[in-house]
Structure formats: C-alpha cells, structure tokens
Amino acid sequence: MDAVQLYHREPGLDKAMDLQKKPALLLRLRELIMALKSGSLLVRGLEKEVGFVQKWNSFALIERHPNIFHVSGGSTSRGPIAVTLTEKDRNISSEETLAQELMEPILVRNLRIDGLPDTYGED
C-alpha cells in the first residue's frame, strides 16, 4: 500500500509568492499593451494573450490599478472594451526606454573593459 504524503501550507511562503506574481503580471500586461501597434488591447483578445486563468487575474489587476490602465468602450459607447495605458504610464515608459538606450553604450563599454564577472553563468 502506498504511503499517503500530507503537505501543509506555509502562509508566509504563499504570501511571498502572491507578492511576486502580482508585479510580474502587471509588467507582462504593460509590456503586452506597449508592444501593440495601436497601444490598445481588446479585452476579448486578452484570453488569447495570457490564457484563460490569467485572464481573470488580469481583469482584477486592471481594476485595481486605474493609475496604470485605462479602460474604454463598453455599453454606452457600443464599442469593444479596450485597455490602454494611462498618459502618465506612457510617459514613464518612454522615459524608461530612453534610459535603457542611454545606458546600453555604458554597459557595453564596461563589459569590454572589465569583462564578465567570474560568477557569470554559474546558475
């Protein structure tokens, strides 16, 4: 007879994992919207992009962060419901892109001078 193995939940670990998932999903949604030419993600296409289960998590995240996501369309406008980034978040995103472009030559120069760290690739 096979032994039944019991597991118990560790609340601290569960909370830590939830805290890690939320920013990752938020960043994934943000990157997804930024990658679209229109800068707008139709809600009906969200499941195709993130999967069925993550779609519902995404909806909750979009509702909780109106400072990042703007929802338009729906019943009064009769247009499809779409999610875009707020003006403030678009400005921050463009600043991040500019910072990355400015840092790239510095990073490349430092890698050429110093080389890769001794611990690179040990993971």
Side-chain angles (χ1 to χ4, degrees):
M1 179 175 230
D2 292 328
V4 176
Q5 208 169 12
L6 296 176
Y7 296 96
H8 73 281
R9 303 291 299 215
E10 184 62 43
L13 180 60
D14 287 346
K15 185 173 183 173
M17 293 304 292
D18 283 343
L19 289 174
Q20 182 181 357
K21 287 179 192 174
K22 289 175 185 174
L25 181 58
L26 192 132
L27 289 172
R28 183 172 178 208
L29 272 174
R30 191 169 160 256
E31 289 171 1
L32 183 63
I33 293 170
M34 287 172 43
L36 296 171
K37 194 182 280 189
S38 65
S40 178
L41 175 64
L42 295 177
V43 170
R44 65 178 175 228
L46 187 59
E47 183 176 333
K48 183 178 91 174
E49 298 293 338
V50 298
F52 181 74
V53 174
Q54 287 296 343
K55 174 179 74 170
W56 298 107
N57 294 335
S58 299
F59 287 155
L61 197 65
I62 289 166
E63 287 179 345
R64 280 194 309 265
H65 294 282
N67 56 330
I68 297 174
F69 302 107
H70 174 72
V71 180
S72 59
S75 61
T76 56
S77 69
R78 297 186 185 258
I81 300 172
V83 180
T84 59
L85 298 177
T86 61
E87 184 69 30
K88 181 178 179 182
D89 196 66
R90 281 194 303 265
N91 291 340
I92 290 170
S93 296
S94 66
E95 289 174 9
E96 287 175 354
T97 303
L98 178 61
Q100 287 174 349
E101 290 171 1
L102 293 173
M103 289 300 296
E104 186 176 352
I106 295 168
L107 178 63
V108 169
R109 186 187 73 232
N110 288 345
L111 284 173
R112 286 183 181 152
I113 292 171
D114 299 332
L116 294 172
D118 294 335
T119 57
Y120 182 76
E122 289 182 4
D123 292 338

